[in-house]
Amino acid sequence: MQAKNNISNNNEDLKDLSPTLSKIEKHNPFKIPKGYFDSLPTIIQNRCIEIEKGKPIRGLWLQNIFTPVIQKLTLLNLKIAIPVSTAIVIIIAGIYFFTSLTTSLQIENGASLLSFNQLSGEEIASVLENDNGYYIDEYLIIEALLDKEMEEEENAASNPDNIDDSSDEIIDYLIENDIDLSTIVNEM
Amino acid sequence: MMDSYSDKELLDKFNNKESRSYAFNLLVRKYQKKLYWHIRRIIIDHDDADDVLQNVFIKVWKGLEKFRADSELYTWLYRIATNESLGFLKQKRTSLFIPMIDVESQLSNSLEDDNYFSGDEIQLKLQKAILTLPQKQRVVFNMKYFEGMKYEEMAGILDTSVGALKASYHHAVKKVEKYLAQ
C-alpha cells in the first residue's frame, strides 16, 4: 500500500522508478498537416449541419453503405461468421456442380444433340471429310443411314406419286423374272 | 478567446437554439487539440486520428443536449474520445478477419515510415516501448506521462479507482524502462 502511494507524477519518483525514461526529454514526436486545427472546426460544423438536415454525409456515401454491414459482420463472432461463409461457398459450388452435371447428362442422352436424322447424307459426308477432331461413332453413322433409307422407303410407299413413277420399273422387273401374281401371293 | 468561456457558459449557449452552432464551434476550438493528441497517442496514425476525432465531435453534437451537468464536460469528452479510440482499434482488429492480429505491432512498424512522425531514435524507441503495453495500461501511461493528468481526473474518465490507476501506471513505467534498457 505504501509502495503504491509513493507513485506520483513528479520527476523524482520517475527517476527512482525508471532512470532511463526520466532522462528522456518529454517531447511530442508527432506532427500534423499545416493548418489542420484551423480548418477542423469548419469541417466538423459542416458535417453536423448535414446531419441536422438528415442528409447523408457527402464523400462518405460508400462508408454509409458499408459501415453498417461491416459493423454487423464484426458484431457476429468470427467463430460463427467463418463457418457460415464457408458453408455458403460450398452450397454455391454444389449447385454449380450439380447444374453442370445435369447438363452433361442431358447431352449424353442426346437431348441436346443434333440428330443425324436431321442431317442429309452430303452434310454427314462433309463432316467426315472435314474432320475437325470431333469423334463420330461409326455405328451411329450406319444406324443413321439405315434410318434414312427406311424413312425414304416408307415415304415412297405412302406417296402414290412415287408409285406411279416407279410402276414401269416394277412391271419390267416382274416380266423379266417371269413372276406372276400367284407367286407374289404365295411369297407373302 | 474561446478558452475564456467556461464549460458552463458553453453549455448554456448550446442549450439556446439561437447560439447553438456558435457554442459548438467554440467547444470544438477549445477541446480539439487536447482531444486530438489524446486520440493520436492511442491511434498513432494521423488520418485515423482525424476520423476518430471528427466522429467524437459528431457524437458530442448529438448527445450534448442530453448531457447532464452532474459530471464535468471535460471528463465526458475525454471518455468519448477514449472509447472511440479503443473501439477504432478493436474494429481494425476484427475487420481484418484475423482475430489474433497484433494491431499494436503493426502501428509500431508503421511509425518508421510515418511522414507525420518526427521523433529521433530514442523517441521512436519510447513509442515502440509504449506500444508493447496492454491497451489500458498504454492509455493510463499516456494520460499520466505525456498529458500530466491527475489520477482523480483519470479515474473519472476511465471509470477506474485511483489505486488501480496508480498500480497500472507503476507497471507500465517498469515495462517501458525494461524495454528502453534493452
Side-chain angles (χ1 to χ4, degrees):
Chain A
M1 191 68 184
Q2 187 64 35
K4 276 184 188 174
N5 287 337
N6 284 340
I7 304 160
S8 71
N9 58 342
N10 69 48
N11 257 348
E12 287 305 310
D13 284 343
L14 194 63
K15 252 183 200 174
D16 295 338
L17 199 61
S18 174
T20 318
L21 184 63
S22 63
K23 282 179 201 159
I24 297 172
E25 197 188 336
K26 279 189 189 176
H27 158 76
N28 184 3
F30 297 106
K31 290 192 295 179
I32 48 162
K34 238 182 180 177
Y36 173 68
F37 287 123
D38 296 329
S39 58
L40 188 66
T42 314
I43 293 167
I44 291 168
Q45 196 88 23
N46 289 340
R47 283 187 68 180
C48 291
I49 290 166
E50 290 192 14
I51 287 167
E52 196 78 349
K53 286 177 184 171
K55 285 181 183 174
I57 299 163
R58 229 174 279 147
L60 290 174
W61 61 276
L62 260 176
Q63 194 182 330
N64 290 334
I65 294 166
F66 289 114
T67 304
V69 178
I70 290 166
Q71 278 172 349
K72 278 179 188 172
L73 275 173
T74 49
L75 280 175
L76 278 173
N77 192 326
L78 286 169
K79 283 176 187 170
I80 299 168
I82 291 170
V84 167
S85 52
T86 312
I88 291 168
V89 170
I90 290 168
I91 289 166
I92 291 168
I95 290 168
Y96 177 76
F97 176 75
F98 181 75
T99 316
S100 54
L101 184 72
T102 313
T103 312
S104 64
L105 277 173
Q106 281 176 346
I107 290 170
E108 274 180 26
N109 291 335
S112 302
L113 280 177
L114 183 65
S115 170
F116 269 110
N117 295 338
Q118 291 171 268
L119 295 171
S120 68
E122 284 171 4
E123 283 170 334
I124 294 165
S126 165
V127 170
L128 290 172
E129 280 169 16
N130 305 310
D131 181 12
N132 292 322
Y134 299 112
Y135 174 74
I136 299 171
D137 195 323
E138 193 184 337
Y139 292 103
L140 277 175
I141 299 167
I142 294 164
E143 198 180 327
L145 288 171
L146 285 172
D147 285 350
K148 203 167 178 65
E149 234 169 67
M150 279 176 71
E151 199 180 312
E152 279 171 5
E153 280 173 15
E154 277 171 17
N155 284 341
S158 60
N159 192 343
D161 294 338
N162 288 347
I163 295 170
D164 286 342
D165 291 342
S166 59
S167 56
D168 289 340
E169 285 174 20
I170 295 164
I171 292 162
D172 288 342
Y173 176 78
L174 293 171
I175 294 166
E176 274 173 23
N177 292 291
D178 195 23
I179 300 166
D180 58 4
L181 188 61
S182 58
T183 316
I184 295 166
V185 170
N186 287 336
E187 284 294 321
M188 287 177 78
Chain B
M1 182 66 186
M2 67 281 294
D3 285 340
S4 61
Y5 285 101
S6 68
D7 286 351
K8 194 185 173 308
E9 284 172 324
L10 286 176
L11 285 171
D12 289 342
K13 280 186 186 296
F14 187 84
N15 288 329
N16 182 351
K17 275 199 170 178
E18 285 177 8
S19 56
R20 173 167 289 189
S21 291
Y22 175 64
F24 186 69
N25 195 288
L26 290 177
L27 186 145
V28 172
R29 286 179 190 278
K30 184 177 178 179
Y31 284 107
Q32 60 174 351
K33 286 183 185 173
K34 283 179 185 173
L35 294 180
Y36 172 82
W37 290 117
H38 177 66
I39 294 166
R40 178 75 187 269
R41 286 190 185 99
I42 301 172
I43 304 283
I44 303 295
D45 180 71
H46 164 73
D47 293 329
D48 291 340
D50 176 41
D51 283 346
V52 171
L53 181 62
Q54 288 191 32
N55 289 338
V56 167
F57 277 119
I58 283 163
K59 284 202 168 175
V60 171
W61 169 261
K62 286 177 178 173
L64 197 56
E65 207 173 8
K66 292 171 193 165
F67 175 74
R68 288 189 217 154
D70 53 0
S71 65
E72 291 279 334
L73 179 65
Y74 164 83
T75 306
W76 185 63
L77 294 174
Y78 262 82
R79 195 182 296 164
I80 296 173
T82 308
N83 290 341
E84 281 291 308
S85 304
L86 296 179
F88 174 84
L89 290 181
K90 192 179 175 185
Q91 199 181 340
K92 199 171 182 179
R93 198 170 284 126
T94 49
S95 64
L96 292 168
F97 288 96
I98 308 166
M100 296 307 288
I101 192 153
D102 186 0
V103 173
E104 276 74 16
S105 97
Q106 273 192 342
L107 293 175
S108 183
N109 293 333
S110 69
L111 267 175
E112 286 163 57
D113 305 322
D114 193 342
N115 291 328
Y116 292 121
F117 184 81
S118 62
D120 54 17
E121 203 177 322
I122 190 71
Q123 290 292 342
L124 180 66
K125 197 170 183 183
L126 174 58
Q127 286 301 322
K128 287 189 169 191
I130 296 166
L131 281 164
T132 61
L133 299 173
Q135 217 164 56
K136 198 151 187 189
Q137 253 181 42
R138 188 154 73 90
V139 174
V140 171
F141 182 87
N142 283 335
M143 287 168 104
K144 189 73 201 159
Y145 181 79
F146 288 110
E147 298 171 43
M149 217 178 262
K150 289 176 183 167
Y151 286 116
E152 288 73 21
E153 289 173 329
M154 288 163 66
I157 293 163
L158 301 172
D159 203 18
T160 313
S161 70
V162 170
L165 289 170
K166 284 181 178 179
S168 188
Y169 182 65
H170 178 86
H171 287 303
V173 170
K174 282 283 179 194
K175 282 180 195 169
V176 168
E177 172 67 21
K178 196 179 171 185
Y179 187 96
L180 290 173
Q182 276 175 1

